[in-house]
């Protein structure tokens, strides 16, 4: 679902109707036949680390404003998921990185702003730069795995041995 459903046909500006189309309730234009397919937004997450610590950002905008999390953002058209991940890391936290591996692909529903999302997470080794909060970010910090907020330690527990073989 999307929090703000389209109301008009983008082709002819006729108000969209709602009904069963191709097996699902969808919005469609009764005049030109436009069908509003609802697809999840593609999001990338950078699980970034340096010397056994995770890099976290404090979010400055909704959703989850004020919470600590990993740098993340939307993939732009023409951009690979890997490139988007490294771009978001640099924009939000001021550091450059190198993709180590794909960690997971999962579905998330954000009730606050974006609706349905497809979230692709990469493990990223930080290679340069000085951590600095970008636009839409309040702070950047490094956490040891045992310092993570509870909601993140569960999500990241399977990665801890990879970022710090001695932990
Ligand atoms: Zn139309």
């Amino acid at each position: 679902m999307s929090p703000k459903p389209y109301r008009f046909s983008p082709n002819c500006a006729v108000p969209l109707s709602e009904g069963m189309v191709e097996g699902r309730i969808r919005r469609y234009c009764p005049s030109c036949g436009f069908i509003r397919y609802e697809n999840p937004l593609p999001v990338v997450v950078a699980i970034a680390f340096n010397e056994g610590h995770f890099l976290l950002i404090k979010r400055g905008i909704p959703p989850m404003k004020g919470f600590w999390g990993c740098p993340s953002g939307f993939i732009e058209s023409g951009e690979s998921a890997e490139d988007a991940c490294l771009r978001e890391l640099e924009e939000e936290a001021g550091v450059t990185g190198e993709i180590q591996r794909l960690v997971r692909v999962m579905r998330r529903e954000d009730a606050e702003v974006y609706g349905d999302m497809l979230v692709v997470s990469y493990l990223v080794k930080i290679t340069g730069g000085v951590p600095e909060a970008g636009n839409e970010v309040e702070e950047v910090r490094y956490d040891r795995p045992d310092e993570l907020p509870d909601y993140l330690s569960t999500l990241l527990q399977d990665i801890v041995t990879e970022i710090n073989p001695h932990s």
Side-chain angles (χ1 to χ4, degrees):
M1 69 136 229
S2 170
K4 281 187 194 165
Y6 279 22
R7 293 171 55 210
F8 299 99
S9 167
N11 296 326
C12 61
V14 166
L16 296 180
S17 300
E18 200 170 75
M20 187 62 84
V21 179
E22 296 173 20
R24 283 179 84 138
I25 300 290
R26 306 180 198 270
R27 286 168 183 266
Y28 64 95
C29 176
S31 174
C32 74
F34 167 82
I35 300 167
R36 170 62 183 170
Y37 293 102
E38 300 281 346
N39 305 110
L41 283 167
V43 174
V44 283
V45 174
I47 303 173
F49 69 97
N50 191 17
E51 295 177 352
H53 289 62
F54 288 106
L55 180 140
L56 304 183
I57 56 137
K58 189 176 189 182
R59 296 183 54 84
I61 55 162
M64 302 285 285
K65 181 172 161 47
F67 282 81
W68 290 94
C70 297
S72 65
F74 296 114
I75 302 172
E76 306 267 10
S77 289
E79 192 176 43
S80 72
E82 290 87 348
D83 287 347
C85 178
L86 297 177
R87 175 182 53 75
E88 290 291 345
L89 175 64
E90 195 162 0
E91 283 177 7
E92 297 196 340
V95 297
T96 55
E98 196 173 83
I99 302 275
Q100 303 292 287
R101 69 174 181 91
L102 174 67
V103 174
R104 63 175 75 89
V105 179
M106 61 188 283
R107 176 178 175 261
R108 209 191 122 200
E109 191 167 327
D110 165 47
E112 269 185 271
V113 190
Y114 295 116
D116 213 35
M117 301 188 295
L118 182 75
V119 182
V120 181
S121 300
Y122 291 100
L123 185 64
V124 180
K125 182 180 169 53
I126 292 168
T127 53
V130 177
E132 188 187 354
N135 293 339
E136 309 177 352
V137 171
E138 287 178 13
E139 285 178 68
V140 180
R141 78 179 186 206
Y142 280 107
D143 267 16
R144 287 198 316 266
D146 63 341
E147 296 171 323
L148 292 170
D150 286 347
Y151 58 91
L152 282 177
S153 61
T154 311
L155 208 58
L156 300 178
Q157 63 184 344
D158 52 333
I159 294 155
V160 167
T161 53
E162 280 180 70
I163 73 152
N164 184 1
H166 310 296
S167 67

